[in-house]
Every structure is written in structure tokens, then in C-alpha cells.
Amino acid sequence: MATSSESTNNSSSSSSSSSPPCQKNKNFSNNPIRYSNGAIRHIQDRLNSRSYGLEWGHTLSYGSRVDAATVPGVNGFRWFVAQLPQLGKDSSGNIEVISIINDSEWFNKSGATYISRYFSLDVLTEDTTNKWFTFTDSLGRVTKFFNFDSSIPAAKQGQFMSYTDQYGSTFTPTYNGSNQVTALSAGSSPAVSYNYDYYTSGSNSGRIQYVTLKRGSTNVRRLYYTYYDSGSGNGLIGDLRTETLEQWNGSSWDNLGTSYFRYYTSDTFNATTNPGFSHGLKFVLGPEAFDRATTGGSTDPDTISDSSLKNYSDNYFEFTSDKRVSKEVVNGPGTPSSSSTSTYGYSYAVNTPSSSSSNNFWTKKTTETLPDGDTQTVYCNSAGQKMVTVLEDVGTGNKWNEALVYDAQGRVVQEVSPEAIASVSEAVGGLVTLNTSTGLIRLKEYYTSTDLANGAVDNYLRYEKIKKGSSGSEIKVREYKYTSRSNGSKTIYPIWKDIVYNNDAGGGTDPAETTYDYTFFTGSLQIEQKTTTWPAITTAQNGSNTGNTKVERYDQYGNL
């Protein structure tokens, strides 16, 4: 069982056509590295499908800063499978819901209940009688996990049990006698299934060898995995070596491309000779880089030296002694002698506020040195959320600052543009001093109670506003109202009205209102019909003075 070594806030409401837009996750660099803790966020997403309403696949993510990484997962050390989600548990009984490792969500145990560590619309409950956890997201989709009761085999504790979509269809994986997932199917005539085959002998017994997508009994595509064995200096036993995507041609498998991974193999850290740790990711080569490096697969990649491989790799990493990325080289040009790559450097500092644990006090600072020598300094709060970014042109000394302000629940309430920031100082806990009367500040305001007759839902986004400087008057730009749909114990809140204010007079006037009406499949949360009514265009604007409508009908699988 693995958990993240540092607690961070990654939660956000799931987005859909019936939900307000979510803020893009800005807590990572473009490559990407997590600013708050220097963790790699590398994702392999090469096999996926949508069938019978089930969006599935086999997506890997690598965690460079996870605890308890002494036992390899089904795809190797520090690799996690998004479609085989799992739970982690710390010594206090708090639960981490893990899919993409860097986007996991924590729930703190309080008696018999679990409370989101950071603001989230998702819910986690435990049924100790049936020995499972239930994770329900804001769209009403439910994932169940085996709990950690001692009567459950250790290999199955915290593991994926079932997934139920909005229509109410439940998809349950098949486990074998070794407590390994062997299949997950959707629909019938024909069924679409993902099938998992494991190595059954040797040093990597129990690791996934094949993940095969089938339609009925017909092969479609598969992923083929190899792992390092003893005697290799490029990885330890249990480290993922290659991932190859293959397609069935009717009689055999065609190779669609191989990804290759190489690792550090020692925990004896040395910034010059061994800037890594056991199972620490050193090189990533995607299919095109792999073909260039191996001349179309004719050269054994394990025989290529690190210095040569760096010229081809998509990513090369070096670390600090505490497993934070200190250097990243990206986009090797693909020639044996060239060194014209893009290099990023990272250094870190911490700050302990003396009197406050506010979400608007900085605790972590990361300085990213860009390939051209300019720097980007990012300050994060204790939840790992980006607070302030300072981009500096080292040649001129010019700086561009941006800031985010959070409420007590960790939700963004202000987005501050560079023109609105008077100064940035580390001596100030919140870092920034704002201009009082210049610069754009975007505001977000949330409902504080539920009143469905008026479209209010507690904790949901109500207003988007703007103002000029910290003392400027607030002007409404947009407003959201919601309706509800319940099925059993689950309730969702799709948008009912989306109101845009066209005039800034009086703090926002001249509203243009788009409304959404829904019907649902009986006994489910799946939309059957959505009717959109747009604002009326007046005759003065050459319109009909009535609102046009659009009706969209969906099947039970959510297909339009």
C-alpha cells in the first residue's frame, strides 16, 4: 500500500456540459513537475475506449514521492493504474483515494466518518458490515473499494471493487485466486472487455504482462509490458522497462510503438555520480524517441549508454537527496552527437508561518530555471496550491507577478493579474501587496446555503466578478443557478441557469439568461433529454424577441 509523501489539494468539481467550468490545475510546471514538492507527474495513456457508457482504459502514472514504495505494484515500482484505483491508509486511519497518483484525494477519519481534507464535492463513506468503502463524485458516479478489515486478504485490502455510472449500471472486475484483477466487461452482444494477464514465473511474477481490449472474443488492441530483471544496471527487479501498444490484424499483433524507461538503482545519493534513488525514474522515451534511439528497434536499448540515450529521451531527471526533481532535460533532438536540448533546473525552500496556517500564507517556494536562463518562482501554501508566481527576465530584471487567493476551504476566490500587484515580499505571509485602484482582479463567490427554489446549492459557484484594484467596486460578470436530481442517497446539481451580465453599471446589469431543463431516465442520474433555451434577441437587435431552444436526447450510456 502506498500513500503520497506530502498532502496536497488536488480536488475539483468534475466538469461536464451541465457544470460550471473548473479552474485548470496550475500546480504543475508545463513538463510537468509539481511545484509544491518537486514530484514528477508522468502519465502513460495509450489504450482507452468508450463502450456502453463506460470510459475505460489502462492509464499509468508514476509517483516519485510516495511512501511505502518497497513493494512493486502490478505495473512495477511507483507506477499506478488509473482504471484500477485503490485506497491508501496512513497511521491515523485517514484514507487516500488514488487513481492518477498526483491527483489523489485525502479524507480525514473522524470517528466513523471521513471528511475531505481539502474542499471537495466528493464523498467517502465506509460500510463496516459489508466491509467496503464507497466513493461518490459530484456527478453521482460511485466507486467501491474493499476496506481494510483483517478478514479480507491483504492483497485485496483497499483495492477496486466496482464502478457504477450515472445510469446505474455497475461494472465489477473479476479477480482470480491470487487476488489479481483478470477482466472487466461492459455490455453484451457483444461485450467489450479489458483482460489482464500476468507473468506467472521468474523475478517479475505477478506483474502485468498484457492488457487486452476485446470486442466479444475478438482482439482489438493490447499493451505489452516488460520489466527489468536481475543483472541490469538500468533498473531493478520490478521496475517497468517497456510498454508496447499492439493492434490485432486478424491473425497476429502489429507493433504500434514502444515506450522505454530507465531508472536509478542505488539509494547512495551523490549529486554528481548518482543524483537519484532506487526505482527513481531517470529516462523516458516515447515511441518516436525509442525508434530513433534504437534505429527502428534494431538496437537493444539496454546497451545504449546514459550519455547517448540523453540525446534521444523525451525526459531525463535528476533529483535532490529527498527525491525532489532538481533537473529535467526534455525533448532530446534525436541525433547521437547533438546536445541542443531544453534544460530546466529546480531549487526549493520552505517557510514556517509563525502565527497562521491560512491558505494564503506561503510555506513552500520553488525556483524553476527555464532553458533561456529566465526564472519562474512559485510560492505554494501548506496544501500545495500555487499562491504567487514571479516570472523574471534575468537579462533586464523585469518581473511579472500573478497571484491566487483562497478561502478557508481552499477554493480560489481571487485571481490577481500582474497589473494589480504593487509588490511581492517574502516577509509578508501572503506575499503580495495589491494596488488599490489599478489592475484586473477576478473574483469567485460561492453559495453558503442551499435554496433550490432560487437555484442556490451550498458550496457551489455562484458569481464570477471583476474589480479594478483591491478597493475597486465589484462587478458581476456571470451567475450560476442550479437544480437537483436525486436517486436513492445520491443527489446531483446540474446547472439550471447561466446568467451573463452585459453592462457593468450598478455592479452588473442587463442580464442575458440561458436556461437548462432536464429529464432523466427513470431511477437514475443519467440525463435523457436536455433543453437549452438561449436569451431572447430583441427586435431592436434584429432578433425575434423570443429565445431559441435546442433539444438534445441521450441514450442510457450518455451518448447524444
Side-chain angles (χ1 to χ4, degrees), residues 296-318:
S298 62
T299 301
D300 181 355
D302 293 337
T303 65
I304 303 173
S305 67
D306 281 0
S307 58
S308 295
L309 198 65
K310 190 183 298 185
N311 293 321
Y312 299 94
S313 65
D314 293 306
N315 303 88
Y316 163 74
F317 300 103
E318 293 182 4

Side-chain angles (χ1 to χ4, degrees), residues 233-517:
N234 299 322
L236 299 172
I237 294 173
D239 283 332
L240 178 62
R241 178 178 172 271
T242 61
E243 177 190 70
T244 301
L245 179 64
E246 300 176 322
Q247 181 163 296
W248 186 247
N249 64 20
S251 59
S252 61
W253 292 99
D254 293 330
N255 187 328
L256 299 184
T258 296
S259 296
Y260 175 78
F261 311 96
R262 185 174 290 185
Y263 305 81
Y264 293 95
T265 59
S266 172
D267 285 321
T268 304
F269 180 83
N270 184 289
T272 302
T273 61
N274 187 51
F277 53 92
S278 296
H279 314 297
L281 193 59
K282 182 189 291 186
F283 288 106
V284 176
L285 279 75
E288 291 183 2
F290 180 82
D291 278 349
R292 291 194 299 267
T294 63
T295 318
S298 62
T299 301
D300 181 355
D302 293 337
T303 65
I304 303 173
S305 67
D306 281 0
S307 58
S308 295
L309 198 65
K310 190 183 298 185
N311 293 321
Y312 299 94
S313 65
D314 293 306
N315 303 88
Y316 163 74
F317 300 103
E318 293 182 4
F319 298 86
T320 64
S321 59
D322 59 354
K323 301 180 178 65
R324 302 173 192 265
V325 173
S326 60
K327 178 181 178 180
E328 180 179 18
V329 182
V330 301
N331 298 330
T335 60
S337 59
S338 177
S339 59
S340 57
T341 53
S342 297
T343 300
Y344 296 79
Y346 297 88
S347 60
Y348 306 90
V350 296
N351 176 46
T352 305
S354 59
S355 59
S356 176
S357 59
S358 164
N359 287 325
N360 296 305
F361 277 76
W362 76 276
T363 62
K364 300 165 186 177
K365 168 187 170 183
T366 298
T367 301
E368 181 182 26
T369 302
L370 305 175
D372 62 1
D374 292 345
T375 62
Q376 181 166 254
T377 302
V378 178
Y379 297 87
C380 297
N381 61 21
S382 58
Q385 295 170 301
K386 182 193 291 189
M387 290 175 53
V388 174
T389 302
V390 180
L391 177 62
E392 180 176 2
D393 183 329
V394 296
T396 64
N398 292 331
K399 296 181 180 180
W400 294 264
N401 309 312
E402 294 181 333
L404 297 172
V405 179
Y406 301 89
D407 64 11
Q409 294 176 292
R411 301 173 298 191
V412 173
V413 292
Q414 293 187 27
E415 298 178 5
V416 186
S417 68
E419 297 81 6
I421 299 176
S423 63
V424 175
S425 172
E426 293 183 2
V428 179
L431 293 166
V432 298
T433 300
L434 301 182
N435 291 319
T436 57
S437 58
T438 59
L440 174 65
I441 300 176
R442 299 183 183 275
L443 310 171
K444 295 180 184 292
E445 184 177 310
Y446 302 85
Y447 287 104
T448 58
S449 62
T450 297
D451 178 7
L452 285 172
N454 291 300
V457 179
D458 190 23
N459 290 318
Y460 275 60
L461 182 64
R462 181 179 185 181
Y463 287 122
E464 294 178 7
K465 301 179 179 181
I466 58 173
K467 66 179 181 178
K468 187 177 182 180
S470 61
S471 299
S473 299
E474 296 182 0
I475 300 172
K476 290 182 293 186
V477 175
R478 199 163 197 163
E479 181 179 3
Y480 299 100
K481 294 178 182 289
Y482 304 86
T483 184
S484 69
R485 168 70 174 182
S486 295
N487 180 39
S489 61
K490 297 177 292 185
T491 301
I492 61 173
Y493 300 98
I495 286 180
W496 168 35
K497 294 182 178 182
D498 181 354
I499 305 168
V500 175
Y501 293 90
N502 295 310
N503 195 316
D504 61 4
T509 54
D510 189 17
E513 183 177 286
T514 300
T515 62
Y516 303 92
D517 295 297

Side-chain angles (χ1 to χ4, degrees), residues 165-169 485-488 490 492 519-528 556:
D165 65 14
Q166 292 161 295
Y167 184 73
S169 299
R485 168 70 174 182
S486 295
N487 180 39
K490 297 177 292 185
I492 61 173
T519 60
F520 294 82
F521 285 96
T522 302
S524 82
L525 302 176
Q526 175 61 53
I527 294 172
E528 183 175 18
Q556 68 190 67

Side-chain angles (χ1 to χ4, degrees), residues 51-269:
S51 303
Y52 301 102
L54 179 66
E55 294 184 7
W56 214 249
H58 195 77
T59 304
L60 300 185
S61 61
Y62 177 83
S64 57
R65 288 179 58 80
V66 295
D67 291 333
T70 57
V71 178
V74 292
N75 264 122
F77 282 98
R78 298 181 174 273
W79 289 96
F80 295 80
V81 182
Q83 292 81 9
L84 298 178
Q86 59 185 283
L87 301 180
K89 184 173 74 169
D90 67 14
S91 59
S92 299
N94 304 317
I95 298 296
E96 180 181 21
V97 181
I98 303 169
S99 179
I100 299 295
I101 182 60
N102 292 288
D103 298 338
S104 58
E105 189 171 345
W106 277 96
F107 292 85
N108 291 340
K109 183 175 175 60
S110 178
T113 62
Y114 293 85
I115 302 170
S116 176
R117 182 170 297 181
Y118 306 105
F119 174 74
S120 173
L121 300 176
D122 303 330
V123 177
L124 182 72
T125 60
E126 183 179 16
D127 184 333
T128 56
T129 300
N130 289 304
K131 303 176 182 179
W132 63 52
F133 281 92
T134 300
F135 176 75
T136 306
D137 70 16
S138 61
L139 297 180
R141 299 172 298 198
V142 175
T143 305
K144 286 186 177 181
F145 302 88
F146 296 99
N147 74 359
F148 296 92
D149 190 271
S150 59
S151 65
I152 296 174
K156 225 171 184 179
Q157 293 179 15
Q159 299 304 305
F160 177 47
M161 186 174 179
S162 67
Y163 170 78
T164 303
D165 65 14
Q166 292 161 295
Y167 184 73
S169 299
T170 297
F171 308 94
T172 303
T174 301
Y175 281 83
N176 63 18
S178 299
N179 298 308
Q180 298 166 322
V181 173
T182 56
L184 187 138
S185 299
S188 60
S189 302
V192 174
S193 63
Y194 281 80
N195 302 271
Y196 306 85
D197 295 292
Y198 300 81
Y199 287 95
T200 58
S201 62
S203 301
N204 288 295
S205 179
R207 308 286 77 75
I208 289 177
Q209 183 177 16
Y210 299 110
V211 179
T212 305
L213 171 63
K214 293 184 177 183
R215 186 174 185 269
S217 59
T218 303
N219 295 320
V220 180
R221 285 189 171 186
R222 75 178 183 184
L223 291 170
Y224 166 48
Y225 294 100
T226 68
Y227 304 84
Y228 286 101
D229 211 326
S230 58
S232 172
N234 299 322
L236 299 172
I237 294 173
D239 283 332
L240 178 62
R241 178 178 172 271
T242 61
E243 177 190 70
T244 301
L245 179 64
E246 300 176 322
Q247 181 163 296
W248 186 247
N249 64 20
S251 59
S252 61
W253 292 99
D254 293 330
N255 187 328
L256 299 184
T258 296
S259 296
Y260 175 78
F261 311 96
R262 185 174 290 185
Y263 305 81
Y264 293 95
T265 59
S266 172
D267 285 321
T268 304
F269 180 83

